[in-house]
Amino acid sequence: MKNITTLKWLLKREIWENKVLLIWSNLVLAAAILFFTVPGIFWLSESLKKTDGPHDLQINEFATQVSHYFTSGLILFSILLVLTMYSYATAAFIDERKDRSILFWKSLPISDELTVLSKVLVALILFPVMSLVTMTITTLTAMFVLCVAYAMHGISLFSVVFSVDNVWMQIGLTLKSFPVYITWALPAISWMIFVSSLVKSRAGMWAILIPIGLFAITAFINDIVGAAFVKNFAYAVLFRGIVSIVPDSWSYHYYLEEYSQTLSFPEAMQHVALKVDLASWKIFATADLWLGVIAGVAMLLLAVRVRRSRGD
């Protein structure tokens, strides 16, 4: 019970110290999207009012337009999510050593395990949740403004816009794939937190350069010895170690499976797009995911040991 209370306070600390990345960045993006969207909505409503042609065709096109709008918002918020998670994870232990606040936190009866756990929970859960909630509210707000703008001209779009199946389906699929994303992104987040605990500055740079350097050395050895493990090493170190924080990046796992059968990436991509449900939990039955989890947990344990041994 005491550990749970301590963990709650640590989570509050992380939210307070990183509210710019966690909260304000999403709000700024949402405001920017609405700022450029709302004037366009009223302009479109005025143009529709002045059009002499049939309105039914134009109204029916809104279903597709709203779906595309939601997809665009999803992409923008996904890009922001990757950037903010990367910035947070790579600076997880840098800042507290830079401002010497680590001395204060180490003087408290707080274990290093709980400190690392709090940072992992913020990165893997709070950042994606904040991004998803803000994106959904932004989209629904724009949809509501669209309906109000057209209602001012006597055109009702509420039943058309808010019954777009693709929007609610995408929201449902995003929620369904949330556990997959958390598990899949664990090794990348763990690697970044471990590097942050290990180096004194520029953890973001080292988190990328070290895997690239290891890959370059492996590729060089591969050319000399003729070993055939360089592709698997590149996938494990570069892709799973860095790119795994990108939403839906586990689709590449299916691409590799299809490529091994078709030997053609275009065909593999086509097969995955048509056959594979990326929100499906079938990925939990693969060794790829669980090996990443094991590697992620191991790196977090190393981060705990490093932080415990260092007081600088």
Side-chain angles (χ1 to χ4, degrees), residues 56-266:
D56 292 340
L57 180 60
Q58 299 182 46
I59 291 175
N60 292 333
E61 290 178 354
F62 278 110
T64 304
Q65 295 175 6
V66 169
S67 177
H68 291 334
Y69 179 83
F70 183 85
T71 303
S72 300
L74 189 63
I75 293 173
L76 290 176
F77 276 97
S78 296
I79 294 173
L80 178 65
L81 174 64
V82 171
L83 294 176
T84 52
M85 286 179 66
Y86 172 79
S87 300
Y88 171 78
T90 53
F93 293 112
I94 294 291
D95 293 338
E96 68 175 12
R97 292 202 300 270
K98 189 178 297 182
D99 59 16
R100 309 297 291 174
S101 62
I102 187 175
L103 300 177
F104 168 74
W105 291 107
K106 277 185 169 290
S107 67
L108 300 176
I110 301 175
S111 66
D112 295 295
E113 289 85 353
L114 285 179
T115 302
V116 173
L117 178 61
S118 67
K119 295 181 181 296
V120 174
L121 291 177
V122 170
L124 282 180
I125 297 180
L126 293 189
F127 271 91
V129 166
M130 185 64 190
S131 178
L132 177 60
V133 170
T134 310
M135 182 267 297
T136 303
I137 293 176
T138 302
T139 304
L140 294 179
T141 301
M143 291 164 63
F144 180 77
V145 172
L146 173 70
C147 295
V148 170
Y150 279 87
M152 293 170 61
H153 301 299
I155 302 172
S156 178
L157 290 179
F158 285 95
S159 60
V160 175
V161 171
F162 284 95
S163 62
V164 178
D165 294 336
N166 198 32
V167 171
W168 303 111
M169 182 181 68
Q170 287 191 58
I171 294 176
L173 290 177
T174 303
L175 291 173
K176 182 182 176 182
S177 64
F178 190 74
V180 179
Y181 177 68
I182 292 175
T183 314
W184 184 262
L186 177 61
I189 292 297
S190 300
W191 165 248
M192 295 172 188
I193 291 177
F194 172 61
V195 173
S196 177
S197 69
L198 199 62
V199 302
K200 293 185 177 181
S201 62
R202 297 184 177 88
M205 178 186 70
W206 289 113
I208 295 177
L209 288 182
I210 291 176
I212 292 177
L214 290 174
F215 171 70
I217 294 173
T218 306
F220 177 74
I221 296 175
N222 180 76
D223 290 337
I224 296 177
V225 180
F229 61 85
V230 64
K231 290 184 179 179
N232 294 331
F233 186 85
Y235 175 76
V237 174
L238 290 178
F239 188 84
R240 296 292 277 120
I242 300 176
V243 188
S244 292
I245 62 173
V246 178
D248 286 346
S249 59
W250 55 90
S251 61
Y252 191 71
H253 167 84
Y254 296 109
Y255 292 146
L256 292 180
E257 286 187 344
E258 291 291 337
Y259 179 75
S260 64
Q261 300 175 7
T262 62
L263 298 179
S264 170
F265 264 113

